[in-house]
Amino acid sequence: MKLYLLLINLLSFALYGIDKHKAQKHAYRIPEKVLILSTVLGGGIGALLGMHVFHHKTRKPLFYIGVPVILVLEICIAVYVIQKGIL
């Protein structure tokens, strides 16, 4: 599980960086659905870091509100799972 979370967060961070680079080059972009999906699948920390490091998607409410909300939900789920000893 720890390895999965590490990898999905690295992937999410990288996706934001790649999309920012493509935006600057006016190249084919990574769909917003993919960026959000990487967040929902456990990459909330990577997404939030990617947004701030690359200054990307910080003006869109779906991202500047959605990513932190998803991250808080992920943390709540993790705390619940740890307390209940589910994993």
Side-chain angles (χ1 to χ4, degrees), residues 78-87:
V79 168
Y80 177 81
V81 166
I82 290 167
Q83 285 181 342
K84 297 296 181 181
I86 295 172
L87 290 176

Side-chain angles (χ1 to χ4, degrees), residues 20-69:
K20 176 67 175 195
H21 179 74
K22 287 183 173 205
Q24 291 170 332
K25 300 291 182 188
H26 304 289
Y28 178 77
R29 305 282 301 280
I30 296 172
E32 289 184 350
K33 289 184 215 178
V34 172
L35 296 173
I36 291 296
L37 181 62
S38 72
T39 306
V40 169
L41 292 177
I45 293 171
L48 197 58
L49 286 173
M51 286 174 61
H52 290 286
V53 168
F54 302 114
H55 305 284
H56 192 51
K57 300 290 185 185
T58 56
R59 294 184 184 176
K60 291 193 167 209
L62 175 63
F63 291 90
Y64 74 76
I65 294 171
V67 169
V69 168

